[in-house]
Amino acid sequence: MVSAPALSPVTIAKPDLISVEQAKAMDVARMTDLFKAHLNPGQLHFMKLLGFHKIKIERADGMFYIDQNGRKILDFFGGFGSLAFGHNHPRILEARKKFQEEKRQEIAIAFMSQYAAALAHNIAKCSPGDLDMVFLGSSGSEAMEAAVKLAERAAGPKRPKIVYAENSFHGKTKGVLGITDGQLYRADFKMAQNTVRIPFADIEAVERLFRSDPEVGVIVLETIQGGGGIIQAPAEYWQKLRALCDQYGVLWVADEVQCGYGRSGRFYAFEHYGVIPDVTALAKSLGAGKAAVGAMIARREVYMKAYGTPKTAMIHAMATFGGMGEACVTSIEGLNVLYDEGLIDNAAVTGDYLLQRLQVLKDKYPKIIKDVRGRGFMVGLEFHDFSQTLPMVLRPIVSVLDDKLKGSLSGFVGALLLRDYDVLVAFTEYNRNVIRLEPPLICQREHVDRFVDAFDSLLSRGIVSIVKDFVKSQVR
């Protein structure tokens, strides 16, 4: 007989760890030191330029962040579309609290999960046509990876080429980086060799490519380009695209990670055009601002071609954290809130009001604002090149620097809106002259009025004063 050994005494010393309470009490100086030491020193440079490094968010409620000084900051950034319900919606909090109190299961990989099953059912019910097969993940990049892999397998080995558009953004993970059209993100990574790049919204280019290259099997497009500067294609483009895909047997993947989930005034932006893709993807607000959730949704026929047998079913099955219990419960409640509170309709109606008010400002400041565009609560404000906003005598001198100065006016305006008006806005990846507005879908007219009035007040200072005010903020 061998007796079991006694448990070993604890001999491993605990590292110098920060507790939850210490983290909560951390001041801005300490946060900055740790960010620089352990997160992203280069990013801190840009945060300092915009003045964002001075702010510690203590809590958030509805349309507002609240900082360390009790200042309420109106959120027209919305986490790139991740906050459909604003911050800490009470129904979302209650659903999560109840899940925790009942000690429900989080990771149930060995078993079927009632929460993952229910969420997949709900997403299918929200999706038109036969988009009813769902893959659950944790991010938009993961959802798009799943979408592209499924489409490539369904298209088959004889049709391996994947088409993507100029100025597209589909994620930063290695696979979808090959169809993300940004040299900053691509850097010197080696991209997949089976991709073809075409202009966005050019249906003739699509038709020429489909007709000339029988190896094309998949086309991947954002319905509204976010990183490209809030760019849309006309209805005829999408209708002809659907017809061409059917004619040539090409599978269409619609990336709705940012423009989906009601942001455009329909659940999916492609629904505005009366068409349905073969595969699509959601994320961002699918997690209701409290969980990281992404989803790929495919037509059953396409899904079964890729993974429809026992031998192929596990090729791209759910990952460890896909379909986690509390995340699914959060998303289930979020979808119910989305419809119970009429937030898709609100995005359409109040989003139109936002666009109307911004168009008035464009007419008021034609030398500063080049364009106002978007749909629902996905809006882009494009400024003219910097030289064109200055007095006539300065334009020839500054115009040679326009390319280097792209994004500077957006940065000045964004920084001063935050500093002087307590308003937070976002920017776009490729067209740096664009300010991106993606407020929560709970946004009301009063919030639109506050934002537009602040923007109007700032522009009324004139460009020279705006530049001077920004420069002063950097030397304080």
Side-chain angles (χ1 to χ4, degrees):
M1 298 288 292
V2 178
S3 59
L7 292 176
S8 300
V10 177
T11 58
I12 299 174
K14 182 179 180 180
D16 183 18
L17 303 179
I18 296 171
S19 70
V20 171
E21 286 302 314
Q22 287 171 328
K24 185 173 72 172
M26 194 180 294
D27 62 19
V28 172
R30 176 68 168 150
M31 288 165 56
T32 302
D33 289 343
L34 294 181
F35 191 96
K36 187 175 182 180
H38 303 298
L39 285 171
N40 194 327
Q43 185 179 351
L44 187 60
H45 166 77
F46 297 104
M47 296 178 77
K48 286 182 175 179
L49 278 177
L50 296 169
F52 290 5
H53 71 298
K54 299 176 182 177
I55 294 172
K56 176 190 175 186
I57 298 301
E58 292 286 4
R59 56 193 180 89
D61 185 24
M63 287 291 298
F64 297 92
Y65 288 104
I66 297 93
D67 75 0
Q68 71 270 34
N69 301 311
R71 179 171 64 140
K72 295 180 69 174
I73 299 169
L74 180 63
D75 185 5
F76 259 62
F77 169 26
F80 293 119
S82 298
L83 294 163
F85 309 102
H87 300 274
N88 292 308
H89 190 288
R91 277 183 57 177
I92 305 298
L93 295 183
E94 183 59 30
R96 291 170 65 83
K97 179 182 177 184
K98 186 174 182 181
F99 183 91
Q100 294 164 10
E101 289 174 344
E102 294 175 351
K103 295 186 178 179
R104 298 286 182 169
Q105 80 272 14
E106 275 292 3
I107 299 174
I109 298 172
F111 311 102
M112 288 185 289
S113 164
Q114 63 269 50
Y115 307 114
L119 177 56
H121 167 273
N122 286 359
I123 292 172
K125 286 295 183 182
C126 294
S127 303
D130 55 351
L131 287 168
D132 59 3
M133 297 299 290
V134 179
F135 168 90
L136 296 175
S138 304
S139 69
S141 291
E142 187 182 1
M144 284 303 299
E145 291 278 2
V148 173
K149 286 179 69 178
L150 179 139
E152 184 176 340
R153 271 192 60 81
K158 293 183 179 179
R159 307 192 68 174
K161 292 187 179 179
I162 300 171
V163 181
Y164 71 99
E166 293 176 358
N167 294 322
S168 60
F169 184 91
H170 298 293
K172 298 177 186 176
T173 49
K174 192 62 160 55
V176 289
L177 193 59
I179 52 172
T180 289
D181 186 35
Q183 191 53 47
L184 171 67
Y185 303 122
R186 288 178 164 229
D188 54 0
F189 298 112
K190 184 171 178 58
M191 298 294 106
Q193 300 301 300
N194 63 328
T195 60
V196 183
R197 177 174 174 263
I198 60 170
F200 182 68
D202 185 342
I203 200 63
E204 286 78 18
V206 174
E207 186 166 16
R208 284 194 301 271
L209 180 60
F210 285 8
R211 186 172 57 244
S212 64
D213 192 343
E215 290 193 341
V216 170
V218 180
I219 184 166
V220 184
L221 299 166
E222 296 161 272
T223 314
I224 302 174
Q225 287 193 326
I230 318 299
I231 305 298
Q232 299 181 78
E236 314 86 74
Y237 173 84
W238 299 109
Q239 292 156 5
K240 186 67 182 294
L241 175 72
R242 179 68 273 177
L244 286 172
C245 286
D246 292 339
Q247 179 182 346
Y248 289 95
V250 175
L251 296 174
W252 167 26
V253 177
D255 183 343
E256 293 262 340
V257 166
Q258 190 170 151
C259 61
Y261 203 84
R263 180 151 297 278
S264 72
R266 299 291 297 270
F267 187 79
Y268 293 104
F270 60 72
E271 292 183 273
H272 289 286
Y273 311 116
V275 290
I276 301 173
D278 300 292
V279 187
T280 188
L282 294 169
K284 303 291 186 186
S285 287
L286 185 58
K290 281 294 180 181
V293 183
M296 174 212 73
I297 310 95
R299 292 172 49 223
R300 175 173 291 274
E301 178 187 357
V302 176
Y303 183 92
M304 296 303 285
K305 280 184 181 178
Y307 308 128
T309 70
K311 288 184 178 180
T312 60
M314 302 305 290
I315 290 175
H316 198 103
M318 207 147 47
T320 305
F321 300 116
M324 286 184 70
E326 190 172 333
C328 287
V329 165
T330 304
S331 293
I332 290 167
E333 185 69 0
L335 283 168
N336 279 279
V337 172
L338 185 70
Y339 288 95
D340 290 346
E341 298 191 358
L343 297 184
I344 300 177
D345 291 330
N346 185 62
V349 175
T350 311
D352 281 349
Y353 178 66
L354 171 62
L355 285 165
Q356 290 166 15
R357 288 221 56 193
L358 290 174
Q359 186 61 49
V360 171
L361 288 194
K362 177 180 178 293
D363 296 339
K364 185 176 181 180
Y365 302 102
K367 295 180 180 178
I368 300 176
I369 302 176
K370 180 179 180 180
D371 194 21
V372 172
R373 55 180 178 264
R375 190 184 282 271
F377 280 141
M378 190 170 180
V379 173
L381 272 167
E382 184 174 3
F383 295 113
H384 286 288
D385 283 338
F386 196 74
S387 66
Q388 301 305 303
T389 68
L390 296 173
M392 191 67 70
V393 66
L394 296 175
R395 290 184 187 179
I397 302 170
V398 179
S399 62
V400 295
L401 299 173
D402 272 340
D403 190 56
K404 291 184 178 180
L405 290 172
K406 273 192 183 300
S408 56
L409 183 54
S410 297
F412 299 161
V413 169
L416 294 176
L417 279 173
L418 180 62
R419 189 194 74 176
D420 297 345
Y421 299 95
D422 303 335
V423 173
L424 180 66
V425 297
F427 311 98
T428 61
E429 285 89 345
Y430 304 138
N431 187 341
R432 291 169 291 162
N433 283 345
V434 176
I435 281 181
R436 174 169 18 192
L437 306 175
E438 294 184 1
L441 306 191
I442 62 169
C443 180
Q444 300 296 309
R445 284 193 171 211
E446 64 191 82
H447 304 119
V448 170
D449 290 339
R450 175 174 165 179
F451 164 72
V452 176
D453 290 347
F455 189 53
D456 186 10
S457 175
L458 177 57
L459 294 186
S460 71
R461 300 180 189 180
I463 294 301
V464 174
S465 292
I466 288 173
V467 174
K468 286 181 179 178
D469 290 343
F470 176 80
V471 171
K472 288 179 184 176
S473 73
Q474 296 299 301
V475 297
R476 287 178 183 173

